[in-house]
Amino acid sequence: MTSLPVDTSGVVSRPSLVGAMPKPVVRKDHSGIGKLVILVVILGVWEAIVRGFKVPEILVPTPTSILEALWQGFNVPYSSPLALHEPTLMTMYKALFGLTTGSVLGLALAMALSRFRVVETYAMTYIMAFQSMPKVAIAPLLIVWCGFGPTSTIVLVTASCFFPVLVSDRKSTRLNSSHIPLSRMPSSA
């Protein structure tokens, strides 16, 4: 086994298979400190701009006032009308239920489309037409059809999650006759 030559600058040279000069590979810092610094700088600039230009809090709140409001909302008793516990749990419920429903429906339809070409031929036109509609334009219709309760939000989340799952799974579940012998090969383990 050959060891890779390491330079003190953090650049590693990989041996080339073709015989050309090895390309230097720069090691990336994955510690997240740089991302944290950028976040702090963005929040600091935001705070300074809002305070410096005296922008009303009702238009653009400062990051510190947002954090203070969150702290106050979670630091009150659960029965208080100002508590954020119940709205947070309800939002998580709607998001998870919509994600699960959209994923299951997208996977089921993708499997049906890959199995039955006739269904794919007729259904994909309508699926792509519905996917191209902006979800913001559908939201008022969903409120009229489903009401103001959690149902309209769940249906909107389901529709938003349905199409990416359908498109990616339709390609991955499609089998042709050349793939079947590969699935019957013995494993190398």
Side-chain angles (χ1 to χ4, degrees):
M1 181 171 194
T2 12
S3 63
L4 297 175
V6 178
D7 190 9
T8 56
S9 65
V11 177
V12 177
S13 299
R14 291 186 181 161
S16 175
L17 299 176
V18 194
M21 292 294 294
K23 294 180 181 178
V25 177
V26 179
R27 294 183 182 176
K28 295 180 182 177
D29 179 26
H30 295 289
S31 63
I33 294 174
K35 295 174 187 174
L36 184 64
V37 168
I38 290 174
L39 177 67
V40 169
V41 167
I42 288 172
L43 292 176
V45 168
W46 175 6
E47 184 93 25
I49 288 174
V50 171
R51 288 186 189 270
F53 288 111
K54 294 181 174 57
V55 179
E57 286 274 327
I58 193 95
L59 293 178
V60 183
T62 61
T64 54
S65 64
I66 293 171
L67 288 174
E68 183 180 324
L70 280 173
W71 177 259
Q72 289 174 356
F74 283 111
N75 204 19
V76 296
Y78 187 79
S79 59
S80 171
L82 299 175
L84 293 177
H85 305 95
E86 188 176 340
T88 303
L89 291 175
M90 189 62 174
T91 301
M92 288 174 52
Y93 162 74
K94 291 188 278 189
L96 289 175
F97 191 79
L99 173 68
T100 304
T101 307
S103 299
V104 167
L105 291 176
L107 180 61
L109 186 59
M111 291 171 64
L113 291 177
S114 66
R115 178 79 174 124
F116 305 108
R117 300 290 181 189
V118 176
V119 175
E120 181 180 21
T121 303
Y122 292 113
M124 280 311 288
T125 304
Y126 299 108
I127 290 170
M128 291 301 161
F130 189 71
Q131 180 186 10
S132 66
M133 294 163 107
K135 303 301 180 272
V136 176
I138 300 171
L141 291 174
L142 290 175
I143 291 173
V144 169
W145 295 336
C146 303
F148 282 106
T151 309
S152 59
T153 309
I154 291 172
V155 170
L156 189 61
V157 172
T158 300
S160 298
C161 297
F162 172 77
F163 292 110
V165 171
L166 172 69
V167 170
S168 65
D169 288 346
R170 186 174 65 101
K171 291 182 180 179
S172 65
T173 56
R174 183 174 291 160
L175 278 176
N176 73 33
S177 58
S178 67
H179 293 135
I180 294 173
L182 294 174
S183 65
R184 293 186 183 147
M185 292 178 65
S187 66
S188 61

